[in-house]
Amino acid sequence: MAIGFFILAILIQLAMVLAIFLLSLSRVTGSIVALVTVLVTAFISSWSLILGIPLALLCLVLLIAPLRQSLITKPVYKALGGAMPSMSDTEREALDAGTSWWEKELFMGAPNWDTFAKYPYPELSEEEQSFIDNEVEVLCAMLDEWKIHHEDKELSPEAWRFIKDNGFLGLIIPKEYGGLEFSSYAQSRVMSKIASRSPTAAVTCMVPNSLGPGELLMHYGTDAQKQRWLPGLAKGDEIPCFGLTGPEAGSDAGAIPDTGVVCYGMHEGEQVLGLRMNFSKRWITLAPIATVVGLAFKMYDPEGLLGDPKKTDYGITCALVPASHEGVITGPRHNPVGSPFMNGTVDGTDVFIPLDYIIGGVENAGRGWRMLMECLGVGRGISLPALSTSASEVAYLTVGAFAKVREQFKISIGKFEGIQDVTSSMASNTYMLEAFRHLVTCGLNQGGTPSVMTAMAKYYATETMRDVINDGMDVVGGRAVQMGPRNFLAIPYQAIPVSITVEGANILTRSLMIFGQGAMRCHPYLFDELQLLQSDDKENALKEFDNLFFKHLGYTFNRGAKAFVAGYVGGSSHAPNFADSFTRPYYKDINRLSAGFALTADMALGLLAGDLKRKEMLSGRLADIHAHLFICTAILQFYEYGSKSEAERLHAEVALKNSLYTIQEAFLSLFANFPNRMAASLVSFVIFPSGRIFAPVSDELKRQLGDTFMDDFEANPFRDYLKTMVYYNTEPDDVMGRMENAYQTLLEVEPLWQKFKKAEHKDHFEGLTFEDHVVYASQNGDITEAEAEQLIRYNAIRFDSLLTDVFDKHLAEAQPRDNPHSLDNAVHKLTDYAQLKNQAQASNGVATDDSAQTADAVTADNQESTGDDNPDHGYESDGDVKMVSEQDTVEEVQEQADFKDTNPDAEALDPRRRDAETHLSERMSYNHSLHKTDSHADTTQNEIENGVEKSDNHAEWQDGLRRDENDKI
């Protein structure tokens, strides 16, 4: 009995501790509750004081300020102060710059779903929609990316004029200055549609609307500067560029060596106070054609000419300089992996500029780094994700069409499980990118500069795009490898490194920025604590630290308690009011993982302190967790506002499962590599007490999504939706339209095509060519003349869509491709094989095939599995390839082991004809040679060579019309 009371008392004490943490009671309230509980349990069992006395002593320490500060606060303050590295001004400005949004809720471990539900879903205004439907559509129609890439090496003068005249360079500029003042979402949509046609044009329009003079002027410029520059930028009369990076400063942009020294000099005939500039910038987009150059440099005032003799180093400053200014050199171009957008250098030696060229005037001297950090969000959060989303959506449409049209082993290649493993990933990743774009622009539409969210957007959008394009290249294979104006994947593939590198290299963004800035911007206490640790007023700092530190501890224990409970009973059931039976379980998973992330982040920050800055692999895994939590919520929001069709649910399910699995594996990899093994094991047990909780996406889901990837319209509303996001067309001579035209034509004739191919694969038609088979089937009444023409027409479109480009021997110019299967050429593909075969069989007394059997094969609604429905992927058991069970028979083994009739030497010398086209040509040549010696000997040699004279048993084709043998061609 005593043991029972003892166990009960201990359980009450432990439950009390858990309740204090779960309810997040204050230090004072929690201590009093704990003391009362210790006293009560002591009456239940005096042995409970084994745990009760340490708890009571701890509570007394927490309640008595001098004791608490002496035993806990001061030692912790001293230890952390020594462990944290000193922070430079640029680091402090970078960490202090920007705002936070939904990513903070996820970081803190208790997302407020009511807030999430109230976020306004981004939509276009009538003006924005009209611009996309008209101006953007017209611009896209003017652009030919192959010509831009490989011939002109720049945009055409007509395209440039249209871009300038229609406000493409002033999307973000307020209307009062002549700009369009579009929302962040509208900017994203405009850029993605242009990028779907021409990445070169998209980058050209992107830069003036992201990091550059326009945005800096809007936020920080003086009134005079705004009036001077913004109207010209809005109209396209001024072309801007911004010089930040250089030979010595890339990722570490704060280390720029470019300088501006305060001095007196001559400007417009007068001696004024200004800056003597020396700079060398590289990789500056639009620099070769810019009329105004933004410059970032370090500003110095060694003589104290600005009035403060003690302040000589002002730090990074931004200025705006006309490109025509004396001493400024622009013009030489870079060639960024063959992408011909304007990119080049900006140099200047001893260039004197007046002080009023500083953006915002002298008052903003030294504030350049903060300005840049706050304005980088547009490029990271809008432009690059828009380009990435666009490239993935074009790949979804074109690769899906190709996977449906392209047939191997008698079925569409998109039906093979190996292909579906890839295409399901393409489909879910594209869905994720579109969802991601919506939630990020939703945050940007609400104002602010959420630097962590935009860093996530930049990294995970460009990396996901890289995966989608690489997967597309694998599926399309040789059709995508051969460069030329027909290739719809090679140019996006070639440009991938540009997106990965610019606006903060991806390795840097993931390993340093996302969690590094996220911890400071999203943690409720960390940044303030860090400021106190580096304060010069230690006495006052210690008092404030005492309060913050114990709030921080309460926050950590609360998240730990939530993660512990969630590990056993699942996450919190809190969810937005629009959650349904499909999405609700995912909100529960996010609640659980978010609480676990808050606990894990605090463990890493508390135990590693400043060392975490150097543990970039651990920081990268923490970034993966934080970002994919955000991505999961983006997918759920996008699904809520979508069609909620079965096809879209499938996209969302696979995308969500991929992100949740990625989060889990990032957690476990972090715990496996964390330096403090005991702490990592404890936290791992709290979050995953039963081990892994998420599995990779199943093969069955991949098969389903792989099939859906090739569907359109009602069967796949998401594909239909994507057509509105890109420059969509079905023109047969267009780089994208050619494939889409073949795909849409196949959808129209698919039942007929499958029926015909099914019979064709069973060798029910006589002849050597597809055209022979169509004519044979038509003459026997198996298909109508209209159906025959449909088949010939689609086959020509299909064949053309699969052709790759050929060039002259110097690869200078693409050559026209002839389509032998076109309606015009179909007659030339007919052979007299069937007539010759029947004549030979008749002369030898062999019965000919019963044509009725052919008719039954084509028209009967039999249930045999072939084509797309064949689980063996078209390998028929009675064909040349035998099943394993057939190969293992006694007769088969004996036959394979019988070598007496073989002649290996002769076989080795005999060339094996594996090229179907060559083999077919030889057979046709042989047939024609026989044809010349039989009853048609009176046909002229010229007629035979041109394929004009055909057998009496064949219909002749020209211009898509079936003609009788008496018609003249």
Side-chain angles (χ1 to χ4, degrees), residues 473-619:
M473 292 291 291
D474 287 349
V475 174
V476 181
R479 174 70 170 83
V481 168
Q482 300 299 331
M483 292 290 288
R486 290 172 170 264
N487 196 317
F488 48 81
L489 273 182
I491 287 177
Y493 177 80
Q494 182 179 334
I496 287 173
V498 176
S499 295
I500 299 299
T501 303
V502 301
E503 301 282 11
N506 275 12
I507 291 176
L508 165 78
T509 302
R510 175 178 177 267
S511 61
L512 287 177
M513 291 180 60
I514 294 175
F515 183 75
Q517 286 191 344
M520 295 299 172
R521 298 306 316 163
C522 300
H523 197 287
Y525 306 110
L526 187 61
F527 185 73
D528 292 334
E529 288 173 327
L530 190 58
Q531 296 288 81
L532 292 173
L533 288 172
Q534 297 194 351
S535 173
D536 294 330
D537 186 357
K538 298 298 183 184
E539 184 176 348
N540 288 325
L542 184 61
K543 292 178 181 179
E544 293 185 47
F545 183 81
D546 179 58
N547 182 44
L548 273 179
F549 178 68
F550 284 99
K551 285 184 177 180
H552 187 162
L553 282 180
Y555 161 84
T556 302
F557 287 129
N558 172 261
R559 273 35 179 190
K562 287 184 175 182
F564 177 78
V565 172
Y568 289 92
V569 301
S572 166
S573 59
H574 291 192
N577 53 18
F578 52 66
D580 57 23
S581 59
F582 167 63
T583 59
R584 192 171 296 279
Y586 292 107
Y587 286 111
K588 195 170 185 179
D589 290 333
I590 293 170
N591 288 332
R592 174 179 182 174
L593 295 171
S594 179
F597 175 63
L599 176 63
T600 304
D602 262 11
M603 174 193 73
L605 292 165
L607 296 180
L608 296 180
D611 286 341
L612 185 57
K613 185 177 180 180
R614 292 177 287 276
K615 297 289 185 182
E616 295 179 15
M617 295 183 190
L618 297 182
S619 180

Side-chain angles (χ1 to χ4, degrees), residues 174-455:
K175 291 184 177 181
E176 61 182 294
Y177 297 105
L180 295 177
E181 201 173 348
F182 279 180
S183 66
S184 297
Y185 177 61
Q187 295 172 49
S188 176
R189 288 285 303 276
V190 169
M191 294 306 161
S192 63
K193 186 166 183 176
I194 298 173
S196 71
R197 188 62 171 172
S198 167
T200 303
V203 172
T204 300
C205 296
M206 176 184 84
V207 171
N209 290 292
S210 57
L211 174 62
E215 188 177 10
L216 291 171
L217 284 170
M218 286 163 48
H219 289 90
Y220 309 105
T222 64
D223 290 339
Q225 290 171 336
K226 292 177 181 179
Q227 294 294 340
R228 163 65 180 87
W229 293 109
L230 288 180
L233 291 170
K235 295 177 182 178
D237 295 335
E238 303 285 357
I239 305 296
C241 70
F242 194 89
L244 176 59
T245 55
E248 302 293 339
S251 298
D252 185 12
I256 54 177
D258 311 288
T259 60
V261 180
V262 179
C263 63
Y264 283 97
M266 299 299 295
H267 177 67
E268 296 181 351
E270 296 183 9
Q271 188 177 44
V272 298
L273 192 60
L275 296 167
R276 183 70 60 188
M277 305 279 293
N278 287 278
F279 49 88
S280 180
K281 303 293 186 180
R282 297 291 182 272
W283 317 304
I284 311 305
T285 300
L286 296 187
I289 58 170
T291 61
V292 56
V293 179
L295 291 172
F297 58 94
K298 288 183 176 177
M299 180 172 160
Y300 300 94
D301 184 15
E303 300 179 73
L305 298 176
L306 295 180
D308 188 352
K310 296 181 180 179
K311 188 173 183 179
T312 60
D313 185 351
Y314 278 77
I316 295 177
T317 304
C318 294
L320 206 56
V321 184
S324 59
H325 192 84
E326 184 179 357
V328 176
I329 302 172
T330 61
R333 291 179 64 179
H334 294 306
N335 186 11
V337 293
S339 297
F341 61 89
M342 289 294 173
N343 188 269
T345 63
V346 180
D347 293 284
T349 303
D350 292 334
V351 177
F352 181 80
I353 64 171
L355 287 177
D356 59 11
Y357 279 13
I358 296 174
I359 297 177
V362 179
E363 293 78 8
N364 272 345
R367 297 189 61 210
W369 191 240
R370 183 185 182 94
M371 292 159 59
L372 293 172
M373 290 299 99
E374 290 180 343
C375 290
L376 274 171
V378 178
R380 289 177 178 164
I382 298 178
S383 301
L384 289 169
L387 268 62
S388 299
T389 303
S390 170
S392 299
E393 291 174 344
V394 170
Y396 187 113
L397 293 170
T398 53
V399 176
F402 178 87
K404 179 83 170 177
V405 171
R406 176 67 164 163
E407 295 180 2
Q408 293 287 275
F409 306 106
K410 307 176 184 179
I411 61 172
S412 296
I413 65 168
K415 286 289 185 178
F416 289 90
E417 285 194 7
I419 298 294
Q420 289 177 335
D421 191 22
V422 174
T423 56
S424 63
S425 178
M426 293 182 66
S428 61
N429 279 335
T430 303
Y431 189 87
M432 181 275 278
L433 284 172
E434 187 62 41
F436 201 12
R437 180 245 291 272
H438 273 78
L439 187 57
V440 170
T441 53
C442 174
L444 293 172
N445 278 348
Q446 293 186 287
T449 53
S451 55
V452 177
M453 179 187 74
T454 53

Side-chain angles (χ1 to χ4, degrees), residues 43 61 179 189 237 305 330 589 638 720 836 902 924 947 951:
F43 284 104
V61 170
R189 288 285 303 276
D237 295 335
L305 298 176
T330 61
D589 290 333
F638 187 66
D720 220 26
L836 293 175
T902 63
M924 290 179 66
S951 71

